[in-house]
């Protein structure tokens, strides 16, 4: 289907909705809900998790104990206030009244939604206040091409700098087990890995990396009898060689992942790979899952760590961090709902964190960040040193992260 036809169908659909004055439905991400109210009731019957779809799609599921449900997916806006960000699309305007056994179904037209990775969020609730969210990851082979790939404009935070690195993932992947002879290292340089499902070699039968259209897909999977597998890419190899960048600089990454117990996507920098005082700048660390013992947070953390450094009183220097409430910023959507761009400016005086080109956190630049070069990493950890439990059974022990692009600006 051509882009022109896709846009025509989509805007016809949206205009029909607005003519009928269909309201914008809020989607509950757990705000104000007690942890114990979240249960795992929804079980998917069709289609399979992470499958390819296009055109008319029927979803069947069962949620024992639940009485009603609805389904949402991020779509494209046709009004001035939503063209940039997109908007939540209610796939079930009339709601879903579940049968006595908890079974329900709904249909939607994937051709009216964005092409590529999509998250259909199924929300179910019971009469006594129990709730559940099932994030169904699919890949839309049809749909509307919308905001895919590196944009032509230079980010505001990169003003005065030049582009020194970019990867749109529109060609053959260049990742090796140790980073030698390739653009990316499949492991954290020298310092060891930290994921509960191990970061896995490209040469492994469980290679987590693939290119889908113009996206880098990191597939987290756990085959029976294995410890699981997932992926990390670093810009420096095990010899410390590769792509480094110094202040002043700006870097950004656009990606989407799934919120489920154990998922831990991150985009970050470090400037030491051997034991020594160094800074770690976590542009985004997001933790998935709702319910007892889970993060229960729809946003993410931005953090600056000062490793092996002490304050004026000789105590370990404490990290600076901020929890970013994504539902109150920009397009007001979560990191698992749709793609977002996460950025960081490291200046001589100040370090500034960004979400979709909106400043979210600022602090003075540490002298180590100012004077020493940085490398970047993007990873899809599953559990591990985060301490959060892993529970991906109802997602067939799998989850996907899609990276749209990475780019870095410097002098």
């Amino acid at each position: 289907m051509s882009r022109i036809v896709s846009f025509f169908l989509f805007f016809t659909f949206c205009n029909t909705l607005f003519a009928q004055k269909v309201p914008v439905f809020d989607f509950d991400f757990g705000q104000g809900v007690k942890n114990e109210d979240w249960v795992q009731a929804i079980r998917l019957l069709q289609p399979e998790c992470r499958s390819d779809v296009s055109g008319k799609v029927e979803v069947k599921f069962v949620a024992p104990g639940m009485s009603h449900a609805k389904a949402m997916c991020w779509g494209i806006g046709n009004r001035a206030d939503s063209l940039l960000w997109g908007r939540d699309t209610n796939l079930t305007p009339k709601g879903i009244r579940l049968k006595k056994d908890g079974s329900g179904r709904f249909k939607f037209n994937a051709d009216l939604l964005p092409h590529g990775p999509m998250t259909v969020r199924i929300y179910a609730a019971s009469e006594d206040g129990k709730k559940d969210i099932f994030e169904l990851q699919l890949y839309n082979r049809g749909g509307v091409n919308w905001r895919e790939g590196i944009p032509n404009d230079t980010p505001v935070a990169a003003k005065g700098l030049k582009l020194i690195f970019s990867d749109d993932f529109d060609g053959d992947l260049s990742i090796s087990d140790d980073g030698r002879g390739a653009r990316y290292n499949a492991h954290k340089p020298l310092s060891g890995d930290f994921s509960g499902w191990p970061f896995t070699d490209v040469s492994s039968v469980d290679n987590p990396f693939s290119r889908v259209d113009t996206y880098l897909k990191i597939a987290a999977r756990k085959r029976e009898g294995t410890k699981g597998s997932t992926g990390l890419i670093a810009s420096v190899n095990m010899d410390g060689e590769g792509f480094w960048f110094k202040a002043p600089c700006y870097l950004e990454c656009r990606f989407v992942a799934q919120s489920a117990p154990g998922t831990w996507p991150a985009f970050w920098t470090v400037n030491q790979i051997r034991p020594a005082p160094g800074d770690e700048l976590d542009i985004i660390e997001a933790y998935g899952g709702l319910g007892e013992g889970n993060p229960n947070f729809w946003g993410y953390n931005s953090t600056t760590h000062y490793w092996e450094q002490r304050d004026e009183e000789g105590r370990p220097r404490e990290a600076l961090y901020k929890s970013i409430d994504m539902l109150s910023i920009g397009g007001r959507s979560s990191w698992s709902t749709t793609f977002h761009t996460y950025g960081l400016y490291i200046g001589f005086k100040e370090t500034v964190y960004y979400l979709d080109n909106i400043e979210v956190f600022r602090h003075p630049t540490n002298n180590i960040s100012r004077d020493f070069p940085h490398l970047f990493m993007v990873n899809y950890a599953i559990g591990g040193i985060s301490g959060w439990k892993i529970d991906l059974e109802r997602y067939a022990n799998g989850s996907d992260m899609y990276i749209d692009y990475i780019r870095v600006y410097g002098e």
Side-chain angles (χ1 to χ4, degrees):
M1 181 181 293
S2 72
R3 294 190 182 188
I4 295 175
V5 173
S6 296
F7 271 109
F8 174 77
L9 289 173
F10 177 80
F11 287 127
T12 300
F13 171 73
C14 283
N15 287 333
T16 301
L17 285 183
F18 287 123
Q20 296 175 346
K21 297 183 178 180
V22 175
V24 177
F25 286 82
D26 291 329
F27 190 86
D28 194 338
F29 280 91
Q31 308 95 304
V33 180
K34 296 179 181 178
N35 293 359
E36 59 267 24
D37 288 338
W38 291 105
V39 296
Q40 289 197 4
I42 301 171
R43 294 293 182 271
L44 186 70
L45 301 178
Q46 77 171 52
E48 293 184 0
C49 290
R50 300 173 296 280
S51 58
D52 290 354
V53 297
S54 63
K56 300 294 180 62
V57 180
E58 182 174 24
V59 178
K60 296 181 181 179
F61 64 96
V62 60
M66 299 298 186
S67 59
H68 55 280
K70 63 181 177 182
M72 311 284 288
C73 186
W74 201 254
I76 306 165
N78 71 339
R79 298 182 300 181
D81 62 348
S82 59
L83 281 173
L84 175 62
W85 309 109
R87 67 190 299 271
D88 232 354
T89 301
N90 184 12
L91 303 180
T92 55
K94 296 181 180 180
I96 306 170
R97 176 58 61 176
L98 301 179
K99 295 182 179 181
K100 289 184 179 181
D101 63 356
S103 61
R105 66 177 65 189
F106 61 94
K107 296 179 180 180
F108 67 93
N109 189 349
D111 288 341
L112 303 178
L113 295 166
H115 170 267
M118 62 189 302
T119 303
V120 175
R121 290 142 34 232
I122 306 171
Y123 172 88
S126 67
E127 299 297 342
D128 62 356
K130 298 298 182 183
K131 300 184 178 184
D132 188 19
I133 294 176
F134 187 100
E135 292 202 356
L136 171 57
Q137 288 187 306
L138 300 170
Y139 195 91
N140 190 357
R141 289 292 178 182
V144 182
N145 293 304
W146 182 65
R147 299 192 66 185
E148 296 180 35
I150 296 178
N152 294 325
D153 61 308
T154 298
V156 174
K159 185 177 180 180
L161 302 175
K162 63 182 180 180
L163 186 65
I164 57 176
F165 179 98
S166 67
D167 198 341
D168 205 8
F169 301 104
D170 55 356
D172 293 338
L173 297 181
S174 181
I175 310 170
S176 69
D177 295 350
D178 56 13
R180 298 181 179 97
R183 191 172 210 181
Y184 298 111
N185 185 352
H187 296 272
K188 183 183 178 187
L190 296 186
S191 301
D193 291 337
F194 50 85
S195 176
W197 290 9
F199 295 132
T200 303
D201 288 343
V202 177
S203 61
S204 167
V205 66
D206 293 315
N207 172 24
F209 306 106
S210 62
R211 183 172 68 87
V212 182
D213 292 332
T214 61
Y215 300 104
L216 169 60
K217 174 182 172 181
I218 299 180
R221 301 289 187 271
K222 188 176 183 182
R223 291 189 298 109
E224 187 175 353
T226 72
K227 295 181 178 180
S229 59
T230 189
L232 173 151
I233 58 172
S235 66
V236 169
N237 66 27
M238 290 301 184
D239 297 319
E241 300 171 340
F243 178 69
W244 296 85
F245 49 97
K246 288 191 65 175
C249 58
Y250 172 80
L251 65 155
E252 65 180 12
C253 177
R254 185 173 188 257
F255 72 80
V256 68
Q258 181 188 33
S259 178
T263 60
W264 180 15
F267 173 45
W268 49 305
T269 79
V270 295
N271 55 15
Q272 292 289 350
I273 61 174
R274 294 176 175 82
D279 290 352
E280 175 184 326
L281 310 180
D282 297 327
I283 304 164
I284 170 175
E285 278 191 282
Y287 299 97
L290 293 168
E292 286 286 350
N294 288 306
N296 297 281
F297 182 52
W298 48 93
Y300 66 91
N301 279 355
S302 293
T303 309
T304 296
H305 294 280
Y306 304 108
W307 299 121
E308 303 295 328
Q309 300 174 56
R310 297 187 175 274
D311 61 21
E312 294 177 352
E313 298 182 3
R315 296 172 299 191
R317 191 171 175 185
E318 294 186 358
L320 299 175
Y321 74 94
K322 185 176 180 180
S323 294
I324 312 302
D325 179 2
M326 302 183 73
L327 302 190
S328 65
I329 300 170
R332 303 174 187 272
S333 57
S334 183
W335 53 270
S336 66
T337 303
T338 185
F339 281 96
H340 291 279
T341 303
Y342 305 92
L344 175 70
Y345 172 76
I346 307 171
F348 292 135
K349 294 183 178 180
E350 292 188 296
T351 296
V352 188
Y353 293 78
Y354 293 87
L355 167 63
D356 294 329
N357 291 312
I358 299 171
E359 180 182 327
V360 293
F361 184 35
R362 175 187 295 251
H363 62 74
T365 298
N366 190 37
N367 63 322
I368 290 179
S369 285
R370 180 194 65 211
D371 297 338
F372 291 90
H374 300 252
L375 65 95
F376 71 76
M377 285 176 278
V378 189
N379 64 258
Y380 199 28
I382 305 295
I385 64 171
S386 68
W388 300 114
K389 68 179 181 181
I390 303 171
D391 188 358
L392 295 175
E393 290 288 341
R394 67 172 176 166
Y395 296 106
N397 275 320
S399 184
D400 289 336
M401 177 181 188
Y402 286 90
I403 302 171
D404 189 7
Y405 64 82
I406 303 169
R407 57 180 176 175
V408 183
Y409 291 80
E411 288 188 331

